[in-house]
Amino acid sequence: MALPDLSQQVAMTTFRSDNLHFSVHHIQFSLPATEYCHWNNSTDHKGSIRVNSIDPFFMRNLYVLVLMLLSHAAWAQPAADGDITISVNNNQQQALPLASVALLKFKDSVIVRTRMTDSTGKALFDNVPPGNYLFRITMVDHITQYAGPVQITSGNGNLPLSITLLRSDAALQEVTVSARKPLIKFAPDKTIVSVDNSITSTGATVLEVLEKSPGVSVDRDGKVSLKGRSNVLILIDGKPTYLSGSDLSNLLSGMSASQLEQIELMDNPPSKYDAAGNAGVINIKTKKNKQQGFNGTASTAYQQGRKQRSIHSLALNYRQGPLNAFMNYNLNEGGSVMYLYALRRYFDPGTTNVNAILQQPTKMEFRGQNHTLKMGLDYSISKKTTIGLLANGFYQYRRSNSQAEAEWLRENGQKDSVVNSNGTGSLNWRNGTVNLNVRHSFNASQELSVDLDWLGYNIKNYQLFQNVREGLYGYKESERGEIPTSIRILTGKADYTQRFGETMKMEAGWKSSRIRTDNFAAYEINTTGNWELNHNKTNHFVYTEYIHAAYGNFEKQWERFTAQLGLRFEHTAYDALQSGNPLRKDSAFSRNYSSLFPTAYLQYKLDSSNSFTISGGRRIDRPAFQNLNPFELIINKYTSQRGNPFMLPQYTWNLELSHVYRDWLMTTLSYSRTSDYFAQLFLVRDDGTFLYSYGNVGNRQNFGLSVSVQLQPASWWSLNLQTDIIHKRFKGFVFKELTPTITQLNANINNQFKLKKGWAAELTGYYITRSQEDIQEVVDPTGQIGAGVSKSLFNNKATLKLAFRDIFYTQAMNGLTQFKDTEEYFEVKRDSRVAVLSFTWRFGKSFKGSVKRRGSADDEMQRAGSGS
């Protein structure tokens, strides 16, 4: 008989009959240390075996003994059909309704059927065919338990089986968990990606991990979309980044995937989250543990594409008594290259007759390094009160060089003139955050947490462009700019939770934030050999914003229904000042507005195989701070970018209906409508140069169908597949009324193979058909294939991984942008085809649990970027 994986926890299992009561309490297996086993008897014939540490020979003998005793208990039941009744209780022996109980085949863990416990905490499995089985019991906020094996033979009666589920916080202190998490877990309210379990994510950046996550796409500018919708609220450990555009892309590109534990993708988050982000929330969780004693992980990786890059990280943790201290450091250094091509066609007004053509191939090279440091302390003042201090630091330095050739052609394709443009730039980025948090549990049902956060960013950009035209009308000109940005953010929040038994929960909270950003752009131009200040582009912009929010959330569970209702109120006020210069007067603008954001979630469990969920809510997207700034950023000689101080927030209603079948198939229908939809605008000036800006253009509707599959075709093969079909309708006015529609397909697949002798493999891929995110721009199909292998070494203390990403070099971004009497075809190719070799060493004690700290700056960090 095949033995199950003994690295997993076995829950307390109890068999009852008139003459036997036998219990096995939380059997834990670990490396050999001291061998001992206790058998305790009492007058009611209850026995318990608690094994703390067993060598392999003793473990096998004990396991055979347990099987014999369990088999005897099963045979001791009265003769009847093959029925089993499961009773699920908490650690206070109170019945737990709505727990999910899965009957698994003992040989390969294939699910036979599932049941939900009733109001008395019981689930009946009737007419079970003869064989050996395991049980898996799961419930929200409780640790998953496994029970068995149980043998069913013809003539068995109804076997009563009693299970105790521990709450997650209690279980962390009582149970050793060493089971491997699934790479991707689909649920009606969220999708969870366990990044640490992905072989192909080794050596990748956070942005690269996101673009191959289910339902996620990243455009040519690094903007993240979820199920075809942009404006996602991105959190890091529950804290917003306060960045957008290129600044957010730079941050995510500078973070290594080795820092991450998991990524949560939420389409309709509850009201305790900020209402920002019409597409939902992406919460990026970094690693942190609370192991006893001193322990850590060190890793290094080397990546080779067209350029080389190396990633090094060190994580240390010390816990003794009430004190827990941790430190994570990451260094990412190396280079990258990007190839751009733009072909612009200028038409006679109102016709399709070409009067001029501009083609511009560009090569951009980058080199730099990123340093990330995270340190924290948690101290338990008492069993009910814990205080914590968390500090983060990020430093990035990057230099860039670009070479471009702008070739002007006549309408017949003949060359007219050539302008060579060379550019250099540098980025110096420093930011730090400090979080102070207090958590107090009044009792088992009431909890209060308070967080204070301070965040600071200092970002310095430097640009230098030199343009040279040869020939009769030749010229030479240079332009340079220094663009420092300072951002200061202070937030505070309090969250209160009240539980009413096991089936009812109420949450309420408050949050306030103050954000101040100071931007200065100083441009100089040189056409005569002397540098002169360019007042047309020089700018000083100061922006101050206040957001105050309060929310309430109520959740109730019945035998078949689970309902959650929430309401969030947010008030926003801001003041902005643009300083003047000799060519422009001072200007100031202010705005304040308030709104309510309801959320609702209702789940109905039809039977043990089918459940239905409907959820909806209203969300807001505020303009990024820098997108309100009317200063101009140079991209190249013929392209620049500028903000719009008259932008308004956009509002979105989201609605989803989901069906889950036997925990392996999930189907979702979705609809969203956005009013005052703002988008990136592509405008043409009188001199033929392009201006990228932002504005409210109209409304947008999304219709979606998602199918998610989790299968285990074989005991060594796990498969995850998600397919999203999205139909979009736009209606807005730019230079004329535009009403484009498009239907696109996003597909993501991941295969994991567990091989023998510590070997594992992975094969992943994603594909996106022709798509559209902005009202003026359509992107051609794109995708990539990745593969990797890993080997566990030195008694699982080390792991060696080799991964390949974008094997066939298909992750290109090609598309077409429509302007007034102009169109531009573009191509973007990055250094995406790479090979990565990594080595990870783990030292210290075995994993026992993790604690996540959610701060008061949880929901604003998205909007402080330049938007470039």
Side-chain angles (χ1 to χ4, degrees):
M1 178 182 294
L3 296 181
D5 185 1
L6 295 181
S7 64
Q8 298 195 26
Q9 166 206 345
V10 179
M12 182 184 75
T13 305
T14 304
F15 292 88
R16 302 177 185 272
S17 68
D18 294 336
N19 56 3
L20 176 64
H21 186 151
F22 175 76
S23 301
V24 181
H25 295 261
H26 299 299
I27 300 179
Q28 302 178 13
F29 297 98
S30 57
L31 296 176
T34 306
E35 302 177 17
Y36 60 94
C37 174
H38 297 293
W39 175 267
N40 296 321
N41 291 306
S42 62
T43 58
D44 61 351
H45 303 290
K46 295 181 180 179
S48 66
I49 299 178
R50 188 177 297 274
V51 182
N52 291 341
S53 187
I54 313 171
D55 68 66
F57 175 78
F58 182 78
M59 180 181 67
R60 287 193 295 268
N61 287 324
L62 175 63
Y63 191 77
V64 171
L65 175 61
V66 171
L67 287 179
M68 293 173 62
L69 289 171
L70 293 178
S71 300
H72 173 74
W75 281 104
Q77 306 305 314
D81 295 333
D83 299 342
I84 305 175
T85 299
I86 304 288
S87 298
V88 182
N89 305 304
N90 61 17
N91 57 354
Q92 298 176 351
Q93 294 306 304
Q94 296 173 331
L96 293 180
L98 299 177
S100 177
V101 183
L103 178 67
L104 314 175
K105 288 185 179 180
F106 178 67
K107 181 179 180 180
D108 51 17
S109 296
V110 172
I111 297 177
V112 178
R113 66 182 76 164
T114 60
R115 294 284 187 270
M116 301 298 300
T117 56
D118 58 20
S119 58
T120 64
K122 294 182 179 181
L124 172 64
F125 292 85
D126 55 355
N127 300 319
V128 179
N132 295 318
Y133 298 93
L134 294 172
F135 290 92
R136 183 184 66 206
I137 303 92
T138 60
M139 188 174 181
V140 176
D141 295 334
H142 290 72
I143 204 72
T144 298
Q145 305 283 36
Y146 288 82
V150 176
Q151 185 179 24
I152 301 296
T153 61
S154 58
N156 274 144
N158 191 319
L159 296 178
L161 186 62
S162 180
I163 303 296
T164 297
L165 282 187
L166 298 175
R167 294 192 62 83
S168 300
D169 49 359
L172 287 176
Q173 302 179 17
E174 299 183 32
V175 180
T176 298
V177 181
S178 57
R180 183 181 180 87
K181 296 180 181 178
L183 176 62
I184 300 173
K185 181 180 179 181
F186 299 110
D189 59 336
K190 70 176 69 173
T191 298
I192 300 175
V193 181
S194 297
V195 180
D196 201 34
N197 292 346
S198 173
I199 300 174
T200 56
S201 294
T202 185
T205 66
V206 173
L207 194 63
E208 290 169 337
V209 173
L210 282 175
E211 68 184 353
K212 67 187 189 73
S213 298
V216 179
S217 59
V218 180
D219 71 5
R220 58 172 172 161
D221 299 319
K223 183 169 61 176
V224 178
S225 298
L226 181 60
K227 292 187 177 180
R229 292 179 291 160
S230 58
N231 296 298
V232 184
L233 177 64
I234 295 183
L235 312 177
I236 299 178
D237 287 329
K239 301 176 183 295
T241 63
Y242 294 101
L243 302 175
S244 64
S246 64
D247 287 337
L248 178 59
S249 177
N250 288 335
L251 177 66
L252 299 179
S253 298
M255 293 179 62
S256 171
S258 62
Q259 301 172 247
L260 306 188
E261 179 179 349
Q262 62 181 215
I263 297 174
E264 294 180 338
L265 312 173
M266 291 176 277
D267 300 338
N268 281 315
S271 60
K272 69 178 180 180
Y273 289 94
D274 187 80
N278 80 82
V281 171
I282 295 179
N283 188 19
I284 301 168
K285 293 186 175 182
T286 60
K287 296 176 181 176
K288 178 186 174 184
N289 64 55
K290 298 197 78 174
Q291 298 170 248
Q292 289 286 349
F294 177 78
N295 51 82
T297 303
S299 67
T300 184
Y302 176 82
Q303 174 179 298
Q304 184 63 56
R306 294 182 181 271
K307 301 289 184 178
Q308 65 82 28
R309 192 170 73 189
S310 60
I311 303 98
H312 316 281
S313 65
L314 175 66
L316 302 174
N317 185 82
Y318 175 77
R319 182 184 181 190
Q320 185 65 39
L323 176 67
N324 180 66
F326 61 91
M327 185 277 289
N328 296 331
Y329 171 74
N330 182 269
L331 168 63
N332 188 337
E333 59 179 349
S336 62
V337 62
M338 181 167 59
Y339 299 93
L340 309 175
Y341 175 76
L343 178 64
R344 298 178 183 175
R345 300 178 185 272
Y346 296 84
F347 304 104
D348 292 331
T351 72
T352 58
N353 299 323
V354 177
N355 60 45
I357 300 173
L358 171 65
Q359 63 176 1
Q360 191 172 13
T362 304
K363 178 183 178 182
M364 303 182 71
E365 295 182 290
F366 307 90
R367 187 160 192 88
Q369 54 182 225
N370 310 308
H371 301 264
T372 305
L373 179 64
K374 178 180 179 180
M375 298 184 296
L377 286 171
D378 290 315
Y379 185 77
S380 298
I381 300 176
S382 65
K383 292 182 178 180
K384 294 185 176 182
T385 305
T386 301
I387 61 173
L389 181 65
L390 179 68
N392 286 296
F394 178 78
Y395 172 75
Q396 181 184 62
Y397 179 75
R398 188 181 69 185
R399 293 186 60 86
S400 62
N401 294 283
S402 64
Q403 301 87 38
E405 181 183 82
E407 185 177 44
W408 284 97
L409 307 175
R410 297 185 179 93
E411 63 274 11
N412 58 7
Q414 292 183 343
K415 184 182 295 186
D416 179 83
S417 62
V418 176
V419 177
N420 292 301
S421 179
N422 296 310
T424 61
S426 65
L427 172 67
N428 193 310
W429 178 322
R430 303 170 189 266
N431 81 271
T433 67
V434 178
N435 166 256
L436 176 65
N437 57 82
V438 179
R439 178 181 175 182
H440 178 72
S441 296
F442 299 95
N443 49 51
S445 302
Q446 295 175 289
E447 181 179 288
L448 175 68
S449 63
V450 178
D451 287 84
L452 296 174
D453 287 88
W454 177 90
L455 297 90
Y457 291 86
N458 288 318
I459 305 170
K460 294 182 180 180
N461 271 301
Y462 174 78
Q463 296 178 311
L464 173 63
F465 293 96
Q466 294 180 327
N467 304 306
V468 179
R469 174 178 173 174
E470 305 293 344
L472 180 63
Y473 301 100
Y475 60 83
K476 181 178 181 180
E477 65 180 12
S478 301
E479 190 164 11
R480 67 187 182 188
E482 292 188 9
I483 312 171
T485 300
S486 173
I487 304 172
R488 298 293 182 267
I489 302 164
L490 182 64
T491 67
K493 74 164 191 170
D495 297 284
Y496 174 77
T497 302
Q498 170 76 62
R499 297 181 182 275
F500 303 92
E502 293 287 342
T503 63
M504 191 181 304
K505 182 174 69 173
M506 182 193 73
E507 296 175 302
W510 150 85
K511 180 181 177 183
S512 291
S513 63
R514 178 188 184 273
I515 304 101
R516 186 179 190 274
T517 174
D518 190 330
N519 309 268
F520 184 76
Y523 282 99
E524 295 179 309
I525 190 169
N526 185 342
T527 57
T528 62
N530 297 315
W531 289 100
E532 298 178 356
L533 193 64
N534 186 345
H535 292 293
N536 288 321
K537 296 181 178 178
T538 296
N539 179 279
H540 187 196
F541 181 73
V542 179
Y543 178 94
T544 305
E545 179 183 84
Y546 296 88
I547 299 178
H548 304 286
Y551 75 90
N553 197 70
F554 178 79
E555 180 180 343
K556 170 65 176 174
Q557 295 179 351
W558 291 271
E559 183 175 352
R560 291 181 179 269
F561 284 95
T562 299
Q564 185 181 106
L565 297 175
L567 184 64
R568 187 178 184 93
F569 170 80
E570 292 190 353
H571 173 75
T572 305
Y574 65 80
D575 299 291
L577 172 65
Q578 181 182 354
S579 301
N581 59 43
L583 299 182
R584 184 175 56 243
K585 295 182 179 181
D586 291 348
S587 63
F589 54 93
S590 302
R591 182 171 287 122
N592 66 82
Y593 49 91
S594 302
S595 193
L596 292 172
F597 302 94
T599 60
Y601 174 95
L602 178 64
Q603 184 180 62
Y604 173 67
K605 296 183 179 179
L606 179 64
D607 52 36
S608 60
S609 300
N610 298 276
S611 65
F612 296 87
T613 302
I614 185 170
S615 62
R618 184 172 186 253
R619 304 191 66 76
I620 184 176
D621 292 294
R622 300 176 180 87
F625 310 136
Q626 300 297 66
N627 291 351
L628 295 169
N629 184 359
F631 90 97
E632 195 159 311
L633 177 70
I634 298 174
I635 298 176
N636 55 48
K637 177 177 172 58
Y638 300 103
T639 311
S640 59
Q641 181 171 291
R642 187 172 63 196
N644 177 5
F646 303 106
M647 286 181 65
L648 300 173
Q650 67 179 20
Y651 295 90
T652 302
W653 282 98
N654 295 322
L655 181 65
E656 284 193 351
L657 174 64
S658 299
H659 168 245
V660 178
Y661 177 72
R662 291 194 174 182
D663 296 328
W664 69 267
L665 174 64
M666 185 172 73
T667 307
T668 302
L669 295 173
S670 62
Y671 171 77
S672 69
R673 187 182 190 280
T674 302
S675 57
D676 288 328
Y677 162 65
F678 55 67
Q680 188 172 21
L681 305 180
F682 305 94
L683 309 174
V684 182
R685 289 170 163 159
D686 294 337
D687 60 0
T689 59
F690 282 13
L691 174 66
Y692 295 165
S693 188
Y694 305 87
N696 303 91
V697 298
N699 62 70
R700 181 188 66 186
Q701 296 182 78
N702 275 39
F703 302 83
L705 169 63
S706 299
V707 179
S708 304
V709 177
Q710 292 175 288
L711 294 176
Q712 191 168 359
S715 59
W716 47 270
W717 179 13
S718 299
L719 182 150
N720 295 277
L721 171 67
Q722 176 164 318
T723 302
D724 301 296
I725 301 174
I726 306 158
H727 177 72
K728 300 180 181 180
R729 296 178 182 176
F730 300 85
K731 184 178 181 180
F733 187 89
V734 185
F735 53 89
K736 65 177 182 179
E737 185 173 89
L738 302 175
T739 58
T741 62
I742 194 170
T743 300
Q744 66 186 63
L745 170 71
N746 297 5
N748 181 287
I749 188 170
N750 184 283
N751 298 272
Q752 286 196 312
F753 309 98
K754 185 178 180 181
L755 309 177
K756 297 180 179 180
K757 298 182 179 180
W759 285 93
E762 185 175 296
L763 178 64
T764 67
Y766 73 86
Y767 178 74
I768 303 174
T769 63
R770 188 170 178 267
S771 60
Q772 184 168 3
E773 188 55 47
D774 289 305
I775 195 170
Q776 294 176 257
E777 185 172 279
V778 177
V779 179
D780 293 338
T782 186
Q784 67 153 284
I785 297 292
V789 295
S790 69
K791 177 70 169 72
S792 297
L793 304 170
F794 311 122
N795 293 325
N796 293 324
K797 291 183 178 180
T799 304
L800 185 67
K801 296 180 180 179
L802 176 63
F804 303 89
R805 292 195 298 275
D806 197 10
I807 296 174
F808 302 105
Y809 203 35
T810 53
Q811 195 189 5
M813 295 278 183
N814 306 330
L816 185 68
T817 307
Q818 297 287 345
F819 299 75
K820 182 180 180 181
D821 297 323
T822 311
E823 68 177 20
E824 179 184 71
Y825 169 78
F826 63 86
E827 294 179 357
V828 180
K829 276 188 173 289
R830 295 184 172 88
D831 192 9
S832 57
R833 181 163 57 184
V834 298
V836 185
L837 181 66
S838 71
F839 178 78
T840 302
W841 175 265
R842 295 171 290 275
F843 50 91
K845 295 187 176 181
S846 60
F847 177 78
K848 287 192 177 181
S850 62
V851 172
K852 300 295 176 189
R853 186 67 61 197
R854 177 177 166 86
S856 65
D858 286 358
D859 307 300
E860 287 94 1
M861 295 174 69
Q862 183 107 349
R863 301 173 46 239
S866 65
S868 55

